[in-house]
């Protein structure tokens, strides 16, 4: 069977045919090496809580906050904190239309996931917001992770039904109100009775309060999914 490669990801190989680091632009050895070792060593790899993603002193299953109020999902996997160089890379990826960053970032994140979910669902954008941005960064990221892990990405299963203000503009209470009845699960047309797998992962670029992911997780759990994980590039505390 011939493996089909997305045209978006073919651009990555085109851009890196001269084998240069994506941060410092110095030469690297192979086209699959997206960053040189000195730059890669600067990626934040701090220990964190596998519940909410917040930075901790040591790697832990649940921090004190999650022990008191556990998140609705089971595990959260991230690359690091929202600071250099991830902050700059995410900004270029999300707002600078450098969509080819999805593959190296997604591949790097995939290496931190010991048991990948068989189905990856990107956090959806409202059609109007996706039209103005021209792409959904979470879909590209989920596609890259799926390619690296052998999972399946289904970007059209979740849909956003209301065009709300952007979450980063709101405080925690406003975020929860903003998301009320904002998402729906699209029922399959061909096999409407086909169940979702027991293990599903939601993919997003940055996690702050987790309000959006909580709503989507509960939506999936109500449909019979037993385990929901979160895959994200960065975690950042609210207000940063």
């Amino acid at each position: 069977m011939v493996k089909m490669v997305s045209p978006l990801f073919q651009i990555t190989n085109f851009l890196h045919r001269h084998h240069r680091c994506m941060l410092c632009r110095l030469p690297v050895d192979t086209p699959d090496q997206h960053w040189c070792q000195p730059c890669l060593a600067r990626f934040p790899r701090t220990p964190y809580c596998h519940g909410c993603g917040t930075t901790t002193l040591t790697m832990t299953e649940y921090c004190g906050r999650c022990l008191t109020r556990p998140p609705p999902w089971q595990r959260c996997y991230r690359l690091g904190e929202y600071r250099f160089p991830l902050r700059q890379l995410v900004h270029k990826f999300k707002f600078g239309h450098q969509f080819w960053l999805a593959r190296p970032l997604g591949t790097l994140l995939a290496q931190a996931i010991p048991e990948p979910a068989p189905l990856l669902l990107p956090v959806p954008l409202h059609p109007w917001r996706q039209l103005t941005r021209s792409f959904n960064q979470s879909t590209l990221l989920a596609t890259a992770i799926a390619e690296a892990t052998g999972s399946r990405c289904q970007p059209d299963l979740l849909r956003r039904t209301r065009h709300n203000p952007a979450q980063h503009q709101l405080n925690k209470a406003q975020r929860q109100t903003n998301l009320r009845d904002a998402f729906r699960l699209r029922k399959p047309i061909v096999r409407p009775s086909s169940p979702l797998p027991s293990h599903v992962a939601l993919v997003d670029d940055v996690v702050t309060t987790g309000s959006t992911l909580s709503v989507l997780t509960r939506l999936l759990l109500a449909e019979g999914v037993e385990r929901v994980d979160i895959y994200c590039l960065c975690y950042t505390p609210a207000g940063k």
Side-chain angles (χ1 to χ4, degrees), residues 52-66:
C52 62
T54 188
T55 300
T56 53
L57 294 177
T58 60
M59 194 70 78
T60 181
E61 292 293 321
Y62 277 148
C63 64
R65 182 177 60 182
C66 288

Side-chain angles (χ1 to χ4, degrees), residues 51-234:
C52 62
T54 188
T55 300
T56 53
L57 294 177
T58 60
M59 194 70 78
T60 181
E61 292 293 321
Y62 277 148
C63 64
R65 182 177 60 182
C66 288
L67 287 173
T68 303
R69 299 183 63 183
W73 58 80
Q74 185 163 357
R75 297 292 293 264
C76 173
Y77 296 98
R78 69 173 208 191
L79 276 184
E81 297 176 323
Y82 190 57
R83 58 182 174 88
F84 181 87
L86 285 176
R87 179 172 184 153
Q88 284 73 12
L89 290 170
V90 169
H91 195 274
K92 290 178 180 179
F93 172 41
K94 188 173 181 177
F95 302 111
H97 288 80
Q98 297 187 24
F99 46 80
W100 50 84
L101 286 169
R103 188 175 198 180
L105 289 172
T107 301
L108 197 62
L109 178 55
Q111 296 170 4
I113 303 170
E115 298 179 8
L119 178 63
L120 308 185
L121 302 178
V123 173
L125 291 176
H126 188 271
W128 176 251
R129 181 163 293 158
Q130 181 160 337
L131 179 64
T132 56
R133 185 175 294 174
S134 77
F135 68 96
N136 183 350
Q137 73 280 353
S138 296
T139 297
L140 298 184
L141 182 61
T143 302
I145 299 172
E147 185 181 77
T149 59
S151 303
R152 178 169 58 95
C153 175
Q154 192 169 346
D156 59 344
L157 188 62
L158 296 171
R159 63 188 182 95
R160 189 156 192 157
T161 56
R162 291 200 295 124
H163 183 46
N164 312 78
Q167 286 287 93
H168 68 267
Q169 301 172 355
L170 309 173
N171 60 37
K172 185 174 181 179
Q174 291 171 329
R175 288 172 188 240
Q176 294 172 345
T177 303
N178 188 48
L179 294 172
R180 190 171 297 155
D181 299 323
F183 298 100
R184 290 287 185 274
L185 186 70
R186 191 187 302 273
K187 301 295 184 180
I189 298 176
V190 179
R191 292 190 301 165
S193 61
S194 177
L196 290 166
S198 60
H199 185 192
V200 174
L202 292 167
V203 181
D204 206 0
D205 54 342
V206 179
V207 171
T208 305
T209 65
S211 299
T212 299
L213 296 169
S214 293
V215 171
L216 292 173
T217 296
R218 292 188 175 95
L219 185 63
L220 293 170
L221 294 175
E223 290 293 326
V225 175
E226 298 176 5
R227 170 176 173 174
V228 178
D229 290 339
I230 306 300
Y231 301 162
C232 66
L233 297 178
C234 306

Side-chain angles (χ1 to χ4, degrees), residues 10-41:
Q10 291 177 3
I11 297 176
T12 306
N13 294 331
F14 173 80
L15 292 175
H16 291 279
R17 65 176 182 270
H18 296 299
H19 307 172
R20 293 187 178 275
C21 174
M22 299 185 73
L23 282 172
C24 68
R25 305 307 299 162
L26 290 176
V28 293
D29 296 330
T30 67
D32 292 333
Q33 186 180 349
H34 303 290
W35 297 281
C36 65
Q37 288 304 316
C39 284
L40 191 60

